Amino acid sequence: MVKSKSGRTGDLIIAFICFLLILACLLPMLNILARSLSSSEALIRNEVLLWPKGWNLTAYKLVLSDSKYTWSLAWTAILTVICTFVSMTMTIMCAYPLTYSKLKGRRFFNTLILFTMYFNAGTIPHYLLYKDLGLLNHPLVLIIPNSLSVFNMIIMRSFFYGIPESLRESAEIDGAGPVRILFSIYLPLSKPVLATLSLFYAVGRWNGFSDALMFMNDRKYHPIQLLLYNILKSVTSIEVATQEGFASAPGLSDTLQAATVMFATVPILLVYPWLQKYFISGATLGAVRE
Amino acid sequence: MAKPLIRKHQSTINYLRKYWSLYLMLILPLAYFVVFRYIPMTYIQIAFKKYSIVQSVWEMPWADNHGFEYFIKAFSNRDFLYALRNTIMLNLLDLLVGFPAPIILALLLNELPYKRFKRFTQSVAYMPHFLSWIIISGIALQLFAPSTGLVNIVLNRLGFESIPFLNDPKHWVFTYVFLGIWKNMGWNTIIYLAALTNINPELYEAASIDGAGRFQKIRYITLPGLRSTIITLLILNLGHILSSEFDRPYSLSNALVHNVSNVIATFVYTYGIRGLQFSLTTAVGLFQSVVGVIFLLAANALAKKFGERGIW
């Protein structure tokens, strides 16, 4: 289609706005990266904008030599892997049976599950329940209570619905049971949604901190985000900073802060491009829920 | 009489023989919902009772004023009233500014003719959604620092005064809303872009032949195509007007802006988990949930009145 001149100008204006948006998303990250790699003197002199000045890796070395950090990173990674596995298993076990239209009690199960999306007991009842169950300050409190998201379950279910029923029926005629059909037909065909939901669960766990803040007093089991939060808040008071174990050379806390932010961010930025092609289709499925 | 009964019995056995594994699979998820979603609901009665650490929830004595003691206490608590005000204020601002933002971006992306550039813009714009609020607050603390942050350095070099983005209540609210848009605008376009693919391209061609310009096409084809998506999301957002995020205000707040950053979720945390006032904070949580459901029902009814499908 031939475009008029004004149409092309319009296109360029829109492209320019999108370009500004890209800058708005990337420049902050670039600034933090530059700060984390700069010398503290350069930071104090306000010389660092988007490119590191007085290039050095002191902050990163400090972080990596602090066992509190390395442990927290490792613990969060372990936790993320376990949580993603548990959550995906639960989500599949919940979504798959509900796709059988012949399943007796399906309506009841659906209502039971959907109701929890709209009415929530609130933080304190959950807290007291964990206390009664002995989950408080137990590492499992970071795994079990949020292991199944109704929203993700619905995405999974919609995807399963999209698989032609004739496939299942012919497998049933061949004598395959529901479990066999799940493993040999449904799961192999559901790779995009499995990737998407795994990403959602993994990111949710990696980024989560409020459950640890509320239900976990043992610092050993604090995920990286909570550690990061404590560090961010400690910059204002030297006292807490030294408590957290950092020498308080002026300006160093700033590079250190930047370096810790990078440590908590980089794993996400690493997996993001790989999974990107999957999650758009997954997120769209969630949007078109029935 | 006996025969059909036997047959029925037989078919039940056949049914179970075929599908027992499905029920086996459902046991764990259903147990999860019962234990972690429904049993906490029985603890809600604490809102109407005097909390006691040695008794079970069923045995605790009723609170004064026909059990409504703690609701009265909540509504005469200054911190709670502030939290209530702030929750509504921040959510309304999010709705006002944050809700239209992804719609506008989706329209822009839809108009963008350069396919690769469009995909790149999308990839970059979705990225902030995957950063935690702690990370974003870490970035914001550095970027907006009064004397050492990038934004204020640039402002100073251009001859402007520094702006206390995170250290002054008015500016904090602005920054809070802005960061929300920064994080979620790109991600929230996905749903609109999906709706846009359902619009018949022939409509655009026909409109072009009739001499319609860009804005006319947006006005008469694209926006009507988004209408029901917009309304559904608006309902959901209205239903959440009293629900409050925890991560976002908690990680962005500081002592200087406590007046505006204290929302219901942070109030419950400080008074309940830190301050151990369980009855009071359960009452607050119940109030929040019930009002949330009422708002959702009302918004849904309103949408149906306007001839939309609603969410049920």
Side-chain angles (χ1 to χ4, degrees):
Chain A
M1 205 166 34
V2 186
K3 282 225 167 166
S4 68
K5 203 172 173 194
S6 71
R8 228 175 305 145
T9 325
D11 286 346
L12 287 176
I13 293 173
I14 291 169
F16 182 67
I17 297 174
C18 289
F19 178 67
L20 291 183
L21 181 83
I22 293 174
L23 288 187
C25 290
L26 291 183
L27 291 189
M29 301 302 301
L30 222 57
N31 177 244
I32 302 292
L33 184 65
R35 291 175 76 101
S36 70
L37 292 167
S38 297
S39 68
S40 32
E41 293 80 29
L43 273 190
I44 290 174
R45 275 182 267 125
N46 281 347
E47 283 172 348
V48 183
L49 294 179
L50 299 171
W51 200 252
K53 283 262 167 65
W55 178 282
N56 73 75
L57 293 167
T58 321
Y60 287 93
K61 277 182 200 146
L62 258 176
V63 171
L64 284 179
S65 64
D66 186 325
S67 65
K68 194 154 34 38
Y69 265 110
T70 41
W71 161 247
S72 181
L73 277 170
W75 164 242
T76 316
I78 296 168
L79 199 60
T80 304
V81 171
I82 297 175
C83 277
T84 311
F85 180 76
V86 171
S87 295
M88 286 308 287
T89 313
M90 289 283 274
T91 309
I92 294 167
M93 287 203 306
C94 187
Y96 177 68
L98 295 177
T99 55
Y100 275 76
S101 51
K102 280 180 226 147
L103 188 81
K104 284 184 181 136
R106 193 172 74 124
R107 272 181 77 94
F108 170 72
F109 298 145
N110 271 329
T111 319
L112 187 87
I113 293 166
L114 283 184
F115 180 74
T116 63
M117 257 183 127
Y118 299 106
F119 187 81
N120 189 300
T123 311
I124 300 301
H126 281 101
Y127 175 84
L128 294 173
L129 173 74
Y130 304 157
K131 201 168 138 194
D132 286 355
L133 290 178
L135 276 174
L136 227 50
N137 300 327
H138 191 286
L140 281 178
V141 82
L142 303 177
I143 300 172
I144 300 175
N146 286 313
S147 57
L148 184 48
S149 137
V150 180
F151 186 74
N152 289 350
M153 192 279 287
I154 291 175
I155 295 181
M156 179 77 85
R157 207 182 54 183
S158 319
F159 196 91
F160 283 162
Y161 274 135
I163 295 171
E165 211 157 332
S166 54
L167 279 178
R168 180 160 78 201
E169 278 158 12
S170 59
E172 274 179 358
I173 291 167
D174 291 343
V179 178
R180 179 94 187 271
I181 294 173
L182 173 67
F183 279 103
S184 58
I185 297 178
Y186 275 71
L187 291 185
L189 285 174
S190 307
K191 276 182 198 138
V193 80
L194 294 177
T196 310
L197 296 185
S198 302
L199 175 75
F200 286 176
Y201 279 124
V203 169
R205 183 60 270 174
W206 182 268
N207 282 343
F209 76 100
S210 55
D211 54 349
L213 178 75
M214 293 176 187
F215 311 128
M216 173 58 72
N217 280 331
D218 192 342
R219 283 181 161 238
K220 197 170 70 186
Y221 295 120
H222 277 182
I224 184 76
Q225 303 287 340
L226 193 52
L227 187 67
L228 180 57
Y229 175 82
N230 289 334
I231 293 182
L232 292 179
K233 294 293 148 173
S234 71
V235 185
T236 37
S237 75
I238 299 283
E239 237 173 281
V240 190
T242 30
Q243 232 176 58
E244 291 287 338
F246 301 121
S248 45
L252 182 62
S253 64
D254 270 358
T255 38
L256 211 59
Q257 221 183 50
T260 37
V261 169
M262 287 317 294
F263 265 109
T265 317
V266 162
I268 289 178
L269 296 185
L270 282 183
V271 292
Y272 175 73
W274 301 104
L275 288 164
Q276 210 209 344
K277 62 175 179 182
Y278 291 123
F279 70 64
I280 293 178
S281 60
T284 314
L285 261 176
V288 209
R289 64 207 192 85
E290 351 74 293
Chain B
M1 215 33 222
K3 255 189 179 169
L5 246 179
I6 290 171
R7 202 175 294 151
K8 202 178 169 200
H9 195 67
Q10 198 65 40
S11 74
T12 312
I13 289 178
N14 275 340
Y15 171 83
L16 283 179
R17 189 172 289 158
K18 210 167 159 192
Y19 292 127
W20 62 271
S21 50
L22 292 178
Y23 289 101
L24 198 68
M25 262 187 244
L26 271 174
I27 286 179
L28 231 80
L30 289 179
Y32 168 83
F33 283 110
V34 170
V35 174
F36 290 105
R37 292 293 178 263
Y38 283 95
I39 291 183
M41 290 181 198
T42 65
Y43 283 70
I44 288 177
Q45 44 183 315
I46 290 173
F48 305 95
K49 290 182 165 179
K50 280 188 193 135
Y51 182 78
S52 136
I53 198 157
V54 289
Q55 286 167 307
S56 89
V57 272
W58 302 96
E59 297 161 348
M60 294 172 199
W62 292 100
D64 303 335
N65 284 318
H66 307 287
F68 283 91
E69 171 77 3
Y70 293 103
F71 289 87
I72 296 167
K73 267 198 180 147
F75 278 93
S76 48
N77 183 318
R78 236 171 58 103
D79 276 350
F80 170 68
L81 292 176
Y82 267 118
L84 185 62
R85 183 203 68 177
N86 294 338
T87 305
I88 295 172
M89 174 186 72
L90 293 175
N91 281 338
L92 275 181
L93 281 173
D94 265 347
L95 198 63
L96 214 67
V97 193
F99 186 75
I103 302 177
I104 294 168
L105 180 59
L107 291 178
L108 285 176
L109 286 171
N110 192 43
E111 294 291 317
L112 204 60
Y114 321 107
K115 289 285 162 267
R116 289 187 107 172
F117 181 61
K118 179 181 168 185
R119 219 171 305 144
F120 180 68
T121 311
Q122 282 173 280
S123 306
V124 175
Y126 296 160
M127 190 264 301
H129 175 79
F130 292 94
L131 304 180
S132 76
W133 274 110
I134 303 269
I135 292 176
I136 293 179
S137 106
I139 296 173
L141 272 177
Q142 301 231 340
L143 215 57
F144 295 138
S147 56
T148 56
L150 175 71
V151 178
N152 279 323
I153 293 177
V154 172
L155 281 178
N156 289 342
R157 284 193 190 166
L158 292 174
F160 294 100
E161 295 269 310
S162 290
I163 298 173
F165 287 100
L166 287 162
N167 301 326
D168 161 72
K170 243 190 246 161
H171 290 95
W172 186 86
V173 171
F174 166 81
T175 313
Y176 176 92
V177 174
F178 171 79
L179 288 175
I181 295 177
W182 187 77
K183 185 180 201 284
N184 289 320
M185 174 169 72
W187 182 254
N188 289 343
T189 58
I190 291 182
I191 189 166
Y192 294 111
L193 289 173
L196 284 176
T197 56
N198 291 331
I199 297 176
N200 187 348
E202 282 173 24
L203 285 176
Y204 289 106
E205 278 164 35
S208 303
I209 292 165
D210 288 344
R214 190 194 298 274
F215 290 104
Q216 279 169 314
K217 279 190 245 176
I218 291 177
R219 167 80 182 75
Y220 293 105
I221 303 174
T222 317
L223 279 178
L226 289 180
R227 196 184 125 101
S228 59
T229 311
I230 293 175
I231 290 182
T232 311
L233 288 181
L234 200 59
I235 297 170
L236 284 172
N237 275 302
L238 279 173
H240 288 152
I241 206 81
L242 208 60
S243 65
S244 55
E245 290 172 82
F246 178 83
D247 293 17
R248 185 175 168 196
Y250 187 77
S251 52
L252 288 174
S253 86
N254 58 61
L256 294 169
V257 295
H258 189 256
N259 268 351
V260 288
S261 70
N262 175 29
V263 296
I264 296 181
T266 49
F267 172 85
V268 168
Y269 170 68
T270 24
Y271 271 74
I273 291 175
R274 284 278 191 75
L276 304 178
Q277 301 197 38
F278 294 135
S279 292
L280 178 78
T281 41
T282 307
V284 167
L286 179 61
F287 166 75
Q288 192 183 21
S289 293
V290 168
V291 175
V293 170
I294 293 173
F295 264 83
L296 202 64
L297 289 173
N300 196 47
L302 204 68
K304 283 197 171 144
K305 215 174 169 186
F306 281 105
E308 290 295 331
R309 221 160 49 97
I311 49 174
W312 287 298

